[in-house]
mmCIF file of all heavy atoms in Angstrom:
data_model
loop_
_atom_site.group_PDB
_atom_site.id
_atom_site.type_symbol
_atom_site.label_atom_id
_atom_site.label_comp_id
_atom_site.label_asym_id
_atom_site.label_seq_id
_atom_site.Cartn_x
_atom_site.Cartn_y
_atom_site.Cartn_z
ATOM 1 N N SER N 1225 -15.901 -8.734 4.295
ATOM 2 C CA SER N 1225 -17.270 -8.577 4.227
ATOM 3 C C SER N 1225 -17.837 -8.905 5.587
ATOM 4 O O SER N 1225 -17.442 -10.016 6.323
ATOM 5 C CB SER N 1225 -17.972 -9.569 3.187
ATOM 6 O OG SER N 1225 -17.465 -9.355 1.906
ATOM 7 N N THR N 1226 -18.610 -8.016 6.123
ATOM 8 C CA THR N 1226 -19.273 -8.212 7.468
ATOM 9 C C THR N 1226 -20.781 -8.018 7.279
ATOM 10 O O THR N 1226 -21.252 -7.946 6.239
ATOM 11 C CB THR N 1226 -18.662 -7.183 8.484
ATOM 12 O OG1 THR N 1226 -18.947 -5.859 8.001
ATOM 13 C CG2 THR N 1226 -17.126 -7.406 8.708
ATOM 14 N N GLN N 1227 -21.435 -7.899 8.280
ATOM 15 C CA GLN N 1227 -22.822 -7.727 8.346
ATOM 16 C C GLN N 1227 -23.132 -6.334 7.730
ATOM 17 O O GLN N 1227 -22.846 -5.311 8.292
ATOM 18 C CB GLN N 1227 -23.443 -7.860 9.742
ATOM 19 C CG GLN N 1227 -24.969 -7.805 9.861
ATOM 20 C CD GLN N 1227 -25.746 -8.987 9.243
ATOM 21 O OE1 GLN N 1227 -25.183 -10.142 9.226
ATOM 22 N NE2 GLN N 1227 -26.919 -8.819 8.693
ATOM 23 N N SER N 1228 -23.872 -6.345 6.463
ATOM 24 C CA SER N 1228 -24.343 -5.207 5.900
ATOM 25 C C SER N 1228 -23.176 -4.295 5.282
ATOM 26 O O SER N 1228 -23.519 -3.201 4.790
ATOM 27 C CB SER N 1228 -25.214 -4.343 6.863
ATOM 28 O OG SER N 1228 -26.270 -5.112 7.378
ATOM 29 N N ASN N 1229 -21.979 -4.693 5.351
ATOM 30 C CA ASN N 1229 -20.778 -3.906 4.865
ATOM 31 C C ASN N 1229 -19.823 -4.791 4.270
ATOM 32 O O ASN N 1229 -19.520 -5.781 4.510
ATOM 33 C CB ASN N 1229 -20.230 -3.078 6.067
ATOM 34 C CG ASN N 1229 -21.174 -1.958 6.504
ATOM 35 O OD1 ASN N 1229 -21.266 -0.980 5.907
ATOM 36 N ND2 ASN N 1229 -21.760 -2.165 7.775
ATOM 37 N N THR N 1230 -19.193 -4.198 3.140
ATOM 38 C CA THR N 1230 -18.080 -4.659 2.471
ATOM 39 C C THR N 1230 -17.022 -3.607 2.225
ATOM 40 O O THR N 1230 -17.255 -2.526 1.921
ATOM 41 C CB THR N 1230 -18.466 -5.244 1.118
ATOM 42 O OG1 THR N 1230 -19.309 -6.407 1.259
ATOM 43 C CG2 THR N 1230 -17.295 -5.688 0.332
ATOM 44 N N SER N 1231 -15.721 -4.080 2.558
ATOM 45 C CA SER N 1231 -14.629 -3.104 2.470
ATOM 46 C C SER N 1231 -13.527 -3.794 1.601
ATOM 47 O O SER N 1231 -13.167 -4.958 1.831
ATOM 48 C CB SER N 1231 -13.990 -2.778 3.938
ATOM 49 O OG SER N 1231 -12.878 -1.966 3.753
ATOM 50 N N LEU N 1232 -13.004 -3.086 0.596
ATOM 51 C CA LEU N 1232 -12.020 -3.569 -0.347
ATOM 52 C C LEU N 1232 -10.826 -2.622 -0.231
ATOM 53 O O LEU N 1232 -11.096 -1.400 -0.476
ATOM 54 C CB LEU N 1232 -12.515 -3.747 -1.830
ATOM 55 C CG LEU N 1232 -13.583 -4.740 -1.988
ATOM 56 C CD1 LEU N 1232 -14.936 -4.015 -2.137
ATOM 57 C CD2 LEU N 1232 -13.445 -5.518 -3.240
ATOM 58 N N THR N 1233 -9.651 -3.168 -0.217
ATOM 59 C CA THR N 1233 -8.439 -2.305 -0.203
ATOM 60 C C THR N 1233 -7.657 -2.556 -1.275
ATOM 61 O O THR N 1233 -7.241 -3.777 -1.639
ATOM 62 C CB THR N 1233 -7.503 -2.607 1.045
ATOM 63 O OG1 THR N 1233 -8.385 -2.213 2.260
ATOM 64 C CG2 THR N 1233 -6.356 -1.620 1.148
ATOM 65 N N LEU N 1234 -7.364 -1.542 -2.172
ATOM 66 C CA LEU N 1234 -6.635 -1.743 -3.418
ATOM 67 C C LEU N 1234 -5.266 -1.101 -3.347
ATOM 68 O O LEU N 1234 -5.242 0.065 -3.062
ATOM 69 C CB LEU N 1234 -7.394 -1.171 -4.679
ATOM 70 C CG LEU N 1234 -8.874 -1.512 -4.738
ATOM 71 C CD1 LEU N 1234 -9.534 -0.786 -5.924
ATOM 72 C CD2 LEU N 1234 -9.039 -3.000 -4.862
ATOM 73 N N GLN N 1235 -4.252 -1.860 -3.484
ATOM 74 C CA GLN N 1235 -2.800 -1.274 -3.315
ATOM 75 C C GLN N 1235 -2.306 -1.354 -4.772
ATOM 76 O O GLN N 1235 -2.091 -2.515 -5.403
ATOM 77 C CB GLN N 1235 -2.070 -2.062 -2.369
ATOM 78 C CG GLN N 1235 -0.655 -1.466 -2.271
ATOM 79 C CD GLN N 1235 0.224 -2.092 -1.151
ATOM 80 O OE1 GLN N 1235 -0.366 -2.465 -0.188
ATOM 81 N NE2 GLN N 1235 1.540 -2.140 -1.291
ATOM 82 N N PHE N 1236 -1.734 -0.382 -5.335
ATOM 83 C CA PHE N 1236 -1.209 -0.307 -6.604
ATOM 84 C C PHE N 1236 0.371 -0.129 -6.483
ATOM 85 O O PHE N 1236 0.965 -0.002 -5.479
ATOM 86 C CB PHE N 1236 -1.630 0.987 -7.396
ATOM 87 C CG PHE N 1236 -3.120 0.939 -7.621
ATOM 88 C CD1 PHE N 1236 -4.124 1.371 -6.698
ATOM 89 C CD2 PHE N 1236 -3.675 0.462 -8.856
ATOM 90 C CE1 PHE N 1236 -5.392 1.313 -6.916
ATOM 91 C CE2 PHE N 1236 -4.940 0.292 -9.032
ATOM 92 C CZ PHE N 1236 -5.921 0.805 -8.146
ATOM 93 N N VAL N 1237 1.024 -0.371 -7.644
ATOM 94 C CA VAL N 1237 2.485 -0.343 -7.674
ATOM 95 C C VAL N 1237 2.911 1.168 -7.480
ATOM 96 O O VAL N 1237 2.058 2.108 -7.667
ATOM 97 C CB VAL N 1237 3.032 -0.800 -9.069
ATOM 98 C CG1 VAL N 1237 2.786 -2.285 -9.229
ATOM 99 C CG2 VAL N 1237 2.446 0.015 -10.167
ATOM 100 N N LEU N 1238 4.070 1.239 -7.059
ATOM 101 C CA LEU N 1238 4.526 2.746 -6.688
ATOM 102 C C LEU N 1238 4.601 3.602 -7.752
ATOM 103 O O LEU N 1238 4.563 4.863 -7.625
ATOM 104 C CB LEU N 1238 5.959 2.615 -5.940
ATOM 105 C CG LEU N 1238 5.936 1.928 -4.558
ATOM 106 C CD1 LEU N 1238 7.394 1.751 -4.080
ATOM 107 C CD2 LEU N 1238 4.998 2.591 -3.619
ATOM 108 N N SER N 1239 4.847 3.058 -8.965
ATOM 109 C CA SER N 1239 4.989 3.928 -10.139
ATOM 110 C C SER N 1239 3.614 4.526 -10.701
ATOM 111 O O SER N 1239 3.664 5.409 -11.497
ATOM 112 C CB SER N 1239 5.688 3.082 -11.317
ATOM 113 O OG SER N 1239 4.861 2.064 -11.620
ATOM 114 N N LYS N 1240 2.513 4.047 -10.070
ATOM 115 C CA LYS N 1240 1.280 4.463 -10.446
ATOM 116 C C LYS N 1240 0.774 5.710 -9.740
ATOM 117 O O LYS N 1240 0.853 5.668 -8.498
ATOM 118 C CB LYS N 1240 0.142 3.363 -10.498
ATOM 119 C CG LYS N 1240 -1.189 3.697 -11.095
ATOM 120 C CD LYS N 1240 -2.067 2.501 -11.209
ATOM 121 C CE LYS N 1240 -3.426 2.853 -11.843
ATOM 122 N NZ LYS N 1240 -3.157 3.077 -13.232
ATOM 123 N N SER N 1241 0.279 6.769 -10.326
ATOM 124 C CA SER N 1241 -0.139 7.996 -9.629
ATOM 125 C C SER N 1241 -1.440 7.606 -8.849
ATOM 126 O O SER N 1241 -2.265 6.856 -9.351
ATOM 127 C CB SER N 1241 -0.350 8.998 -10.574
ATOM 128 O OG SER N 1241 -0.974 10.144 -9.940
ATOM 129 N N ILE N 1242 -1.566 8.193 -7.675
ATOM 130 C CA ILE N 1242 -2.778 7.947 -6.895
ATOM 131 C C ILE N 1242 -4.006 8.610 -7.616
ATOM 132 O O ILE N 1242 -5.097 8.048 -7.505
ATOM 133 C CB ILE N 1242 -2.700 8.558 -5.519
ATOM 134 C CG1 ILE N 1242 -3.843 8.150 -4.578
ATOM 135 C CG2 ILE N 1242 -2.326 10.091 -5.493
ATOM 136 C CD1 ILE N 1242 -4.029 6.848 -4.365
ATOM 137 N N THR N 1243 -3.755 9.711 -8.411
ATOM 138 C CA THR N 1243 -4.868 10.313 -9.063
ATOM 139 C C THR N 1243 -5.388 9.480 -10.279
ATOM 140 O O THR N 1243 -6.542 9.127 -10.438
ATOM 141 C CB THR N 1243 -4.447 11.644 -9.766
ATOM 142 O OG1 THR N 1243 -3.941 12.519 -8.613
ATOM 143 C CG2 THR N 1243 -5.495 12.335 -10.478
#
Side-chain angles (χ1 to χ4, degrees):
S1225 297
T1226 58
Q1227 185 69 28
S1228 304
N1229 291 284
T1230 292
S1231 176
L1232 299 98
T1233 303
L1234 312 178
Q1235 180 174 332
F1236 296 86
V1237 295
L1238 292 177
S1239 59
K1240 190 175 184 65
S1241 171
I1242 187 65
T1243 304

